[in-house]
């Protein structure tokens, strides 16, 4: 298993129209990789319910975390 496949992905919520109970703006959320959702401009996000749901890509900004600092990545696990 490669390092890339084991790293979690995260995004910052910048919009929560129609989902105020599920998403908080300016909060970091974990992304679950989902190619089919991506084809429809959606992201699978673990939201405030603790479950994963699809949300529009435009609601988030992807975070690029440094791979060379595993200690930093552990803070988001």
């Amino acid at each position: 298993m490669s390092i890339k496949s084991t790293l979690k992905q995260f995004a910052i919520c910048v919009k929560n129209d129609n989902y105020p109970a599920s998403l908080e703006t300016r909060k970091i959320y974990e992304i679950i990789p989902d190619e089919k959702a991506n084809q429809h401009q959606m992201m699978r996000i673990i939201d405030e319910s603790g479950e994963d749901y699809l949300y529009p890509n435009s609601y988030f900004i992807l975070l690029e975390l440094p791979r060379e600092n595993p200690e930093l990545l552990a803070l988001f696990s």
Side-chain angles (χ1 to χ4, degrees):
M1 184 179 291
S2 71
I3 291 175
K4 184 174 182 173
S5 65
T6 62
L7 293 178
K8 293 183 178 183
Q9 292 181 303
F10 299 92
I12 298 174
C13 179
V14 294
K15 185 176 179 180
N16 68 348
D17 297 357
N18 302 318
Y19 305 103
S22 302
L23 298 172
E24 293 181 29
T25 56
R26 298 183 301 275
K27 185 170 180 178
I28 297 172
Y29 289 94
E30 184 177 347
I31 300 169
I32 305 294
D34 186 329
E35 285 300 317
K36 190 171 182 179
N38 194 36
Q39 292 172 1
H40 297 281
Q41 288 75 51
M42 303 288 280
M43 280 188 203
R44 186 168 297 282
I45 299 288
I46 299 177
D47 68 10
E48 293 302 310
S49 72
E51 299 293 326
D52 61 281
Y53 293 98
L54 295 177
Y55 294 100
N57 286 350
S58 62
Y59 282 31
F60 299 91
I61 296 174
L62 292 175
L63 292 176
E64 291 289 331
L65 299 174
R67 296 182 201 299
E68 60 275 355
N69 290 333
E71 302 84 27
L72 179 63
L73 294 174
L75 296 174
F76 293 99
S77 297

